[in-house]
């Protein structure tokens, strides 16, 4: 069997059992092929695709794609959201962090806290996790990080959660 890792993984699998690592010439250092053998970061044979190594076709209107896949009935009606939909005032400077909560490294909590501490008009909106426990753990981490840089307690009020 032939095994390969794709560039969604960091640099190398590190496994001698992995045969190939598929990357792209835009994702590799231009002088990578000139490295000394002992400096080679890959344990696999590297296969470089042209450019970024990916191509996305322009999608059709979502409703058309869903109808083609016979999935239109699974999706609710289209909703246009505004700041008011989430109790966000128009004069606030809003940072949106729409990442899955389990993927956010705890050290990044400090970055979010420092952003909140920059100005009283800055608000950060985060999306909840698929599991309530993940969201609770993440929000508690963020609240603690904010308390570490803002002892007034006002910073916590500028952190907003949008549930999935």
């Amino acid at each position: 069997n032939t095994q390969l890792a794709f560039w969604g993984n960091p640099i190398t699998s590190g496994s001698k059992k992995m045969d190939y690592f598929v990357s792209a010439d835009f994702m590799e250092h231009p002088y990578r092929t000139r490295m000394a053998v002992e400096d080679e970061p890959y344990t696999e044979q590297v296969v470089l695709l042209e450019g970024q190594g990916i191509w996305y076709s322009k999608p059709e209107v979502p409703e058309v794609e869903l109808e083609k896949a016979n999935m239109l009935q699974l999706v609710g009606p289209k909703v246009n959201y505004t700041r008011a939909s989430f109790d966000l005032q128009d004069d606030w400077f809003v940072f949106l962090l729409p990442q899955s909560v389990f993927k956010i490294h705890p050290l990044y909590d400090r970055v979010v806290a420092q952003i909140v501490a920059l100005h009283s008009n800055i608000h950060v909106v985060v999306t909840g996790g698929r599991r309530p426990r993940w969201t609770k753990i993440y929000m508690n981490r963020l609240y603690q990080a904010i308390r570490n840089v803002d002892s007034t307690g006002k910073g916590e009020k500028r952190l907003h959660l949008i549930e999935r």
Side-chain angles (χ1 to χ4, degrees), residues 62-75:
E63 289 80 7
V64 172
E65 291 290 332
L66 289 168
E67 192 170 350
K68 281 183 186 177
N70 197 26
M71 296 177 66
L72 196 55
Q73 74 281 0
L74 300 175
V75 180

Side-chain angles (χ1 to χ4, degrees), residues 65-131:
E65 291 290 332
L66 289 168
E67 192 170 350
K68 281 183 186 177
N70 197 26
M71 296 177 66
L72 196 55
Q73 74 281 0
L74 300 175
V75 180
K78 184 176 177 182
V79 178
N80 290 319
Y81 292 105
T82 65
R83 285 175 174 244
S85 304
F86 303 104
D87 296 323
L88 302 172
Q89 295 179 13
D90 288 337
D91 63 332
W92 290 350
F93 193 96
V94 177
F95 287 85
L96 175 63
L97 183 57
Q99 181 58 277
S100 299
V101 297
F102 71 91
K103 293 183 177 181
I104 301 174
H105 194 282
L107 290 176
Y108 192 70
D109 301 352
R110 291 188 223 166
V111 174
V112 173
Q114 290 170 356
I115 289 170
V116 170
L118 287 173
H119 194 278
S120 62
N121 203 34
I122 291 177
H123 292 254
V124 175
V125 175
V126 298
T127 53
R130 293 198 185 277
R131 293 190 166 81

